[in-house]
């Protein structure tokens, strides 16, 4: 038999097998009363701890969607440029391989209009194949996307068109912020 040192306060276990679990006593859930302290596989725990503090773009990166088949739309292109403050979610358009990959990463949700999206990280990242506002060519939006820090973002002219069509109060405020941003940085073009 193989001799393994016991872990404890003086000998922390540094090399645990992936299947070994960690106890998370701070988890609060009705399931806790039934099953005791939640056990999470170490690999999954490490992934959750790593991505939790990276923000929305870190969460998106962690999905490892195939390049060339998705782009961030909605307010994401404004957020990444610092034009507006980060929201609580990112909207992603996808096709082909990215859509198939997304189906394995999150929960498929049916919308009232009959369309379906994939919800990841409790809705922090939503991935769809269509866009609810306006008549956009998804292939064009993805094909002409601008990469910023390795993530494709729909070009600002398309974001402006979408926000003009949606015309919700937040969209009007976002367009005003964009106009202010472009006046202070006219040579940037973004």
């Amino acid at each position: 038999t193989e001799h393994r040192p016991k872990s404890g306060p003086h000998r922390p276990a540094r090399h645990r097998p992936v299947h070994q679990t960690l106890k998370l006593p701070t988890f609060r859930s009705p399931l806790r009363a039934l099953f005791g302290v939640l056990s999470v596989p170490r690999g999954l725990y490490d992934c959750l701890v790593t991505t939790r503090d990276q923000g929305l773009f870190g969460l998106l990166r962690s999905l490892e969607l195939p390049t060339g088949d998705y782009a961030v739309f909605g307010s994401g292109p404004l957020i990444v440029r610092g034009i507006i403050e980060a929201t609580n979610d990112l909207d992603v358009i996808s096709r082909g391989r990215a859509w198939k990959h997304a189906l394995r990463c999150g929960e498929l949700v049916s919308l009232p209009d009959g369309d379906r999206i994939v919800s990841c990280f409790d809705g922090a990242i939503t991935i769809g194949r269509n866009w609810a506002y306006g008549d956009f060519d998804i292939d064009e939006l993805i094909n002409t996307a601008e990469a910023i820090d390795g993530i494709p973002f729909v070009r600002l002219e398309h974001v402006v068109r979408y926000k003009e069509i949606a015309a919700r109060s937040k969209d009007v405020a976002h367009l005003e912020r964009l106009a202010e941003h472009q006046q202070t940085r006219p040579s940037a073009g973004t």
Side-chain angles (χ1 to χ4, degrees):
T1 60
E2 182 180 330
H3 173 68
R4 293 181 188 214
K6 293 181 180 179
S7 58
H10 302 291
R11 290 187 192 148
R14 290 191 179 140
H15 302 287
R16 292 183 182 171
V18 173
H19 68 275
Q20 201 167 18
T21 58
L22 295 176
K23 302 268 186 202
L24 301 176
T26 58
F27 183 79
R28 302 283 182 241
S29 166
L31 295 176
R32 183 175 183 197
L34 295 173
F35 300 107
V37 177
L38 175 70
S39 293
V40 178
R42 183 170 177 77
L44 177 60
Y45 176 79
D46 290 344
C47 177
L48 292 172
V49 169
T50 301
T51 58
R52 182 180 57 211
D53 297 323
Q54 291 180 5
L56 293 172
F57 300 120
L59 290 173
L60 178 58
R61 277 190 190 91
S62 76
L63 294 175
E64 298 179 344
L65 295 173
T67 305
D69 277 342
Y70 78 98
V72 176
F73 200 15
S75 298
L78 301 176
I79 294 167
V80 75
R81 291 174 172 85
I83 297 169
I84 64 170
E85 295 292 319
T87 58
N88 58 355
D89 69 329
L90 278 181
D91 299 314
V92 178
I93 54 172
S94 69
R95 64 182 176 199
R97 294 177 307 132
W99 175 251
K100 289 177 185 173
H101 185 83
L103 289 170
R104 294 188 304 266
C105 294
E107 175 186 356
L108 189 61
V109 177
S110 294
L111 300 177
D113 65 0
D115 201 8
R116 297 183 310 172
I117 61 169
V118 174
S119 174
C120 302
F121 305 108
D122 293 323
I125 308 291
T126 56
I127 304 167
R129 294 181 293 177
N130 300 306
W131 194 250
Y133 297 95
D135 185 24
F136 288 97
D137 180 345
I138 298 300
D139 289 328
E140 179 188 350
L141 297 178
I142 293 172
N143 292 340
T144 61
E146 300 172 288
I148 300 174
D149 292 330
I151 297 175
F153 292 87
V154 170
R155 298 179 62 82
L156 285 180
E157 61 261 27
H158 301 300
V159 174
V160 168
R161 193 168 123 226
Y162 141 63
K163 290 199 171 279
E164 288 172 344
I165 292 167
R168 300 167 296 185
S169 59
K170 73 175 187 175
D171 298 312
V172 172
H174 291 172
L175 289 171
E176 290 170 359
R177 295 289 309 269
L178 177 59
E180 292 168 9
H181 176 78
Q182 290 176 330
Q183 287 176 357
T184 61
R185 301 177 68 178
S187 62
T190 57

